[in-house]
């Protein structure tokens, strides 16, 4: 078990962590994509609801 955790600690030292600027950019990308997708799905939901009420 100790050997496993030593291996994990060693591998974690080899990880290339993103910079704060990269994190900010990626976070903004995810939030923007989520909002756009939510608006798209909301518009489809409204359209289908409106169409079913007209029938």
């Amino acid at each position: 078990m100790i050997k496993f955790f030593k291996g994990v600690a060693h591998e974690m030292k080899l990880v290339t962590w993103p910079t704060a600027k990269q994190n900010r950019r990626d976070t903004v990308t995810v939030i923007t994509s989520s909002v756009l997708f939510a608006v798209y799905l909301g518009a489809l939901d409204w359209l289908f609801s409106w169409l079913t009420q007209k029938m």
Side-chain angles (χ1 to χ4, degrees):
M1 193 72 144
I2 292 173
K3 186 177 179 181
F4 171 76
F5 285 114
K6 283 184 180 181
V8 169
H10 175 70
E11 288 296 322
M12 291 302 287
K13 290 177 185 175
L14 300 176
V15 172
T16 304
W17 298 100
T19 64
K21 185 177 180 180
Q22 289 170 327
N23 271 341
R24 249 182 268 114
R25 183 195 66 215
D26 294 345
T27 301
V28 168
T29 301
V30 168
I31 291 171
T32 303
S33 300
S34 298
V35 168
L36 290 175
F37 194 63
V39 168
Y40 173 72
L41 288 178
L44 281 179
D45 182 50
W46 175 84
L47 176 66
F48 290 136
S49 176
W50 181 77
L51 286 173
T52 56
Q53 287 177 2
K54 291 293 180 184
M55 291 182 168

